[in-house]
Amino acid sequence: MDLRSDAVVLFGVTGDLVAKKLFPALYELTRRGRLDMPVIGVARSRWDHQQLITAARKSVLEANGRVDDEVFEALTRRLTMLSGDYADPATYRRLAEALSAAERPLFYLAIPPAVFTPVVDGLAAAGLAGRGRVVVEKPFGRDLASSYTLNEALRAAFAPERIFRIDHYLGKESVEGLRVFRFANRLFEPLWNAEHIANIQITLAEGFGTEGRAGFYDRMGATRDVLQNHMLQVVALLAMEPPAAAGDEAFRAEEVRVLRQVRPLSPETTVRGQYAGYRLEPGVAADSNTETFVATRLLVDSPRWAGMPFYLRTGKLMPGTATEVVVEFRAPERDLVAPAGGGERQPNLLRFRLGRNDGIALSLQTKEPGAEVASRTVELPIDFDAVLGHRREAYERLLDDALDGRHLRFAREEAIEQEWRIVEPILDLPEPVASYPRGSWGPAEAEALAGRWHAPTRR
Ligand code: NDP
């Protein structure tokens, strides 16, 4: 493993991501004795040290409900503020002075994507990039062509092994758990194919809207925001073949291989929606055709999955917040037991809850009590919190990894390019988005796409 970074520079320290995720992550790292280096916050806003500390305390309080004064004071001793314009070379000169004692600084770009390249260029011109690592947030480009351009800009300044591309789903314990579930259990592997599985559904539902960031979201949409990255990462974990060898390298190579086998998404099997009233939000174009919901059918051209559909849907202002994978197994070959009460036959389902309240659940058929021999569904639920206890948050794990130069939980360049290739045919479609009521599962057309969606069980 490479040497640990000896300074952190947070560009965009006044922003939403730092407030929601990065201050709490820095606080947790401090608590665990993993943050013994200076942390420099950079922004255009002229914050003084006290404003920085106040913002950090507020964000830790909001994330944890309480602040441990001793831990927080240890964090504040590390924090300093540097204000400046990103187009001004003097900003980087001052940063270089502040970093004069640091040999391996970590630069975290928590800034809008439009500013990634100017900041990277500024760091390179000031001679700071050569000895540093850089963390780039998603979205990584807007399409395949712009992701190439961004890669070129990053590679011109930083060595490839010093570039860390965030897809925070890769830092989630529940998502990483799919790897263990797939390859450490013999039980399901023989059934893990199109012969025994009817379809796999992934729902990433947000019960909230654009939360005051509609102007930013309007240039993005659901496909770029979560389908291209988080959801396709989950597809890769579910669909990949067992790696050729143990270890992280072989695992990551296999992940990229399966993404290559995913067919480009088709507009004919995609439904885009927009919640009612979205166009009235500040920052949204009055004729905006941006999708706040997308549902699509995805096919993997591998022998294991040939012809079997993956159904993906994500949206804002859904009936709740949940990320759930539902694996629907095929019906028994012979129909020997009828459902109790003459109802509809229920398939075996395996659910992976990947969001809050993460866990696994299996629905099985058992005998309905009584004189008749008829079936009824029972659930075998496992809540990870109850059996595994507290697990570290994704951003804390990712920041810790980047400080150590560990790549496993960061998105690979080839994977990101494959993800853009897959979604490209459904980006910026001219057909008007379908409106859907707030608090619903999207436009009616989306319901028909999967035949039958299985709603998340915990919301
Ligand atoms: P914000 O919109 O909150 O912007 C962050 C900071 O960047 C602002 O506080 C502002 O600071 C500065 N900034 C804004 N516009 C410009 C500009 N045109 N030029 C230079 N600086 C600017 O972004 P977020 O914190 O929400 O996101 C940061 C990054 O993280 C983005 O790439 C985003 O895609 C990504 N991300 C965010 C998530 C979130 O939950 N917020 C989730 C996942 C990824 P100042 O004016 O003080 O310099």
Side-chain angles (χ1 to χ4, degrees), residues 12 14-17 20 43-45 86 110-113 115-116 137-139 213 216 395:
T14 52
D16 187 63
L17 181 73
K20 278 203 309 226
R44 300 172 305 181
S45 301
Y86 297 137
I111 41 180
V115 217
F116 288 168
E137 265 295 340
K138 64 137 227 212
R213 306 176 73 243
F216 173 76
Y395 271 95

Side-chain angles (χ1 to χ4, degrees), residues 15 21 24 44 134 136 143 146 176 179 187 202 215 222 224 278 298 307 312 329 379 383 389 404 419 448 452:
K21 301 292 182 188
R44 300 172 305 181
V134 66
V136 194
D143 50 24
S146 56
E176 204 167 35
R179 172 176 172 185
L187 190 60
I202 306 173
R224 288 189 171 92
Y278 171 75
L298 176 147
L312 278 53
F329 289 89
E379 295 285 333
D383 289 343
D404 272 339
E419 290 165 0
R452 169 185 181 185

Side-chain angles (χ1 to χ4, degrees), residues 334-377:
R334 287 189 59 200
D335 216 358
L336 299 173
V337 183
E344 202 186 339
R345 276 173 212 290
Q346 300 300 322
N348 291 126
L349 301 177
L350 175 62
R351 293 176 185 271
F352 298 99
R353 295 195 311 271
L354 303 178
R356 277 179 286 181
N357 304 316
D358 58 352
I360 298 179
L362 185 59
S363 28
L364 301 170
Q365 298 306 311
T366 189
K367 184 182 170 301
E368 171 77 17
E372 303 296 321
V373 177
S375 68
R376 92 178 219 193
T377 307

Side-chain angles (χ1 to χ4, degrees), residues 228-239:
Q228 180 266 344
N229 36 72
H230 304 332
M231 297 186 84
L232 291 183
Q233 277 292 343
V234 173
V235 168
L237 287 165
L238 293 166

